[in-house]
Amino acid sequence: MRTRRLGSTGPVVSAMGLGAMAMSGGPYGEADPDESVATVHAALDAGVTLIDTADFYGMGHNELLLNEALQGRNRDDYLLSVKFGQMRGPGPVFGPQDGRPEAVKNFLAYSLTRLGVDHVDIYRPARLDPAVPIEETVGAIKEMVEAGFVRHIGLSEVGAATIRRAHAVHPIADVQIEYSVLSRAVEAEVLPALRELGIGLTAYGVLGRGLISGHWNAGRNDPRVRSPRFAPGNVEHNLALVEELRRVADGKGCTVAQLVIAWVAAQGEDIVPLVGARTRTRLAEALPAMDLTLTPDDLAAIEKAVPKGAARGDRYPSAFMSALGVG
């Protein structure tokens, strides 16, 4: 597994990271805990060092699962990226963001306990709290860096202006944001700002929540149908784009999933794709993407198959879109 550095001040991590959200249910349905643990082990054994989670994934379940999976592993062999601040209620209820300094430290204390570690490698607010200046939120994380409980500071789903304000308080290692052949809004302002400031990008949603993995079909009974891109009228159009990608992948001798992961990785050495594999089978499919070289002709063929802006439907339901720094 090759490595990449997250920005000019961030850590060196594996060129692909493992996103753990789907291991705790949510929009992807129930997961097998034993298979999830085995998948984490397989990822580590393959050289994946970056694991991404959040304290609200499964209401703490995800952090406890990782605690189990990481037992007996050398703490220096993996890096934990943790998001915080998304308030929840019982059941599938999402509340507002909480970026208050006292809440930052409270969330961190619980995460350290659930994960069973003495520090988090990258700590980041999941979304911007509009009621709290970003300088205050980042300032609180900075105090945790100085105290040794956090190694690096990250951001998630924020715009260029917020990134600049945060970076002025403390160097930001990376910004986590959705980026795929279907979701390219970051290219307009966010990605140029990151490169100007020397900040990395960890890209989630590289498989479009499974939509462009090459395995999803419109006939499935799946919670994701509530998402605009999976909605009737949109999903058929988007799956037609996947078939165009499949032609490119077939010509390249790879799967659609490998092609689109490699596409994200090919957009720059400062970008690390996060793959949300929750089974060893899906992980095994994703890993070869890191060895897939895309030529200029390959990239042109992908662009022709899925032109920028070709996807139909927002990437989140309307209630969530207002919390995002980019569309």
Side-chain angles (χ1 to χ4, degrees):
M1 175 66 67
R2 295 191 300 275
T3 60
R4 293 182 172 187
R5 180 178 292 278
L6 290 179
S8 59
T9 63
V12 174
V13 301
S14 51
M16 185 185 86
L18 177 67
M21 181 183 73
M23 296 178 182
S24 295
Y28 300 94
E30 294 302 314
D32 180 333
D34 292 337
E35 180 61 25
S36 295
V37 169
T39 301
V40 174
H41 291 169
L44 293 171
D45 292 343
V48 174
T49 61
L50 179 64
I51 303 174
D52 181 76
T53 184
D55 60 11
F56 53 88
Y57 289 169
M59 312 299 190
H61 173 274
N62 204 245
E63 291 179 323
L64 292 170
L65 177 76
L66 290 176
N67 183 331
E68 178 185 351
L70 295 170
Q71 289 294 319
R73 297 281 177 161
N74 188 321
R75 183 63 182 88
D76 294 331
D77 291 344
Y78 61 87
L79 296 95
L80 291 169
S81 167
V82 180
K83 296 183 289 297
F84 70 89
Q86 175 62 66
M87 303 295 286
R88 297 289 301 269
V93 178
F94 284 83
Q97 306 299 313
D98 191 349
R100 296 172 299 143
E102 58 269 33
V104 171
K105 298 169 185 178
N106 178 76
F107 290 137
L108 177 61
Y110 278 88
S111 284
L112 292 172
T113 300
R114 283 190 293 256
L115 288 164
V117 297
D118 62 4
H119 71 275
V120 165
D121 298 285
I122 311 171
Y123 202 50
R124 70 183 83 241
R127 299 287 187 271
L128 179 68
D129 181 347
V132 179
I134 191 63
E135 290 86 352
E136 294 185 13
T137 303
V138 171
I141 308 175
K142 178 182 177 181
E143 291 180 21
M144 297 296 92
V145 171
E146 293 167 347
F149 297 116
V150 173
R151 294 290 187 266
H152 303 277
I153 301 178
L155 297 172
S156 178
E157 287 289 357
V158 291
T162 300
I163 294 167
R164 293 181 188 281
R165 289 169 54 195
H167 193 64
V169 176
H170 186 278
I172 301 300
D174 72 310
V175 173
Q176 187 177 119
I177 203 161
E178 185 167 352
Y179 190 29
S180 73
V181 293
L182 294 187
S183 299
R184 297 175 59 180
V186 298
E187 294 176 349
E189 296 182 0
V190 169
L191 192 51
L194 296 181
R195 287 174 170 162
E196 174 192 336
L197 297 171
I199 300 173
L201 187 152
T202 44
Y204 77 90
V206 295
L207 296 175
R209 297 172 181 80
L211 181 60
I212 50 174
S213 67
H215 302 298
W216 201 88
N217 64 76
R220 291 179 58 180
N221 181 17
D222 192 298
R224 283 168 283 187
V225 297
R226 293 190 291 270
S227 177
R229 285 191 179 163
F230 290 83
N234 290 338
V235 70
E236 294 83 3
H237 168 83
N238 294 331
L239 287 175
L241 298 177
V242 175
E243 292 311 306
E244 293 300 315
L245 287 170
R246 197 183 306 278
R247 293 187 180 91
V248 180
D250 288 346
K252 192 69 177 172
C254 65
T255 69
V256 176
Q258 290 164 354
L259 184 75
V260 296
I261 295 168
W263 181 90
V264 173
Q267 303 311 302
E269 289 291 320
D270 51 353
I271 299 173
V272 174
L274 297 172
V275 175
R278 59 177 176 168
T279 67
R280 285 168 287 180
T281 299
R282 290 290 179 253
L283 175 68
E285 180 184 8
L287 288 170
M290 293 298 95
D291 296 320
L292 185 61
T293 299
L294 299 181
T295 67
D297 287 345
D298 295 330
L299 294 171
I302 294 169
E303 184 74 24
K304 182 178 179 180
V306 186
K308 188 174 181 178
R312 286 185 185 171
D314 287 335
R315 56 193 181 99
Y316 280 104
S318 58
F320 291 91
M321 289 299 293
S322 61
L324 306 179
V326 296

